Amino acid sequence: MATITLELTPELEQQLRDEAAQQGLDPNHYIVNALKEHLRPVQRTASRLSKAEADLLQNINLGLPPQRWEQYHTLLAKRRAEILTPEEQATLIEISDQIEQANARRIQYLVELASLRNTSLETLMQELGIKAPA
């Protein structure tokens, strides 16, 4: 059996432990069962996808690494608290630019996938559970 290590917030870890306890399960078994249940529809869908669709979906789901998001949120908090240094401001701008570029690429891939499926971008986003920004 393989091992995967996950970094969870204390709140999420406690939520998982609470849910496992409510179902009378060890947290590890609860997590494995939840993942299996969550992945079932994905596995069925993935087997029906063309290579082009699978590649586009993979690219749509790419994003910044968790550490970069953590750094981004830390810098945002410092900016709100008005304690951001000029160097940190430059880093925040750099990360914001990376986020914008990733979102632009994601939209391009969504448009390509919508075209491949002969549907509208709005319909595709609804099907994938992607909400447009407010």
Side-chain angles (χ1 to χ4, degrees):
M1 190 179 315
T3 300
I4 295 177
T5 302
L6 301 173
E7 293 182 24
L8 304 174
T9 63
E11 295 82 13
L12 181 56
E13 179 186 3
Q14 189 58 52
Q15 184 180 3
L16 287 168
R17 289 184 183 284
D18 292 346
E19 291 292 324
Q22 285 180 353
Q23 294 187 20
L25 294 172
D26 170 76
N28 289 334
H29 287 101
Y30 174 78
I31 293 168
V32 169
N33 290 343
L35 287 172
K36 284 180 181 176
E37 185 63 32
H38 178 76
L39 292 175
R40 274 194 197 120
V42 172
Q43 289 170 340
R44 284 192 294 264
T45 302
S47 65
R48 295 182 301 202
L49 294 177
S50 70
K51 171 131 176 56
E53 287 178 300
D55 289 346
L56 286 168
L57 284 168
Q58 184 175 9
N59 288 327
I60 288 165
N61 288 317
L62 289 178
L64 296 180
Q67 302 89 332
R68 197 67 163 162
W69 278 111
E70 187 176 324
Q71 183 182 24
Y72 175 72
H73 290 293
T74 299
L75 293 172
L76 284 179
K78 284 185 161 192
R79 186 179 70 185
R80 279 191 296 275
E82 298 180 6
I83 58 172
L84 198 62
T85 68
E87 295 81 19
E88 290 171 329
Q89 175 69 26
T91 302
L92 180 58
I93 291 169
E94 177 186 316
I95 297 172
S96 295
D97 289 346
Q98 290 173 349
I99 292 169
E100 285 182 33
Q101 290 168 357
N103 285 337
R105 283 190 304 271
R106 184 172 290 118
I107 291 295
Q108 287 175 329
Y109 294 132
L110 284 166
V111 168
E112 286 180 46
L113 184 58
S115 175
L116 191 63
R117 292 185 175 181
N118 295 317
T119 190
S120 70
L121 178 60
E122 294 79 17
T123 301
L124 176 68
M125 289 175 67
Q126 285 177 342
E127 289 173 1
L128 296 177
I130 298 172
K131 295 184 179 172

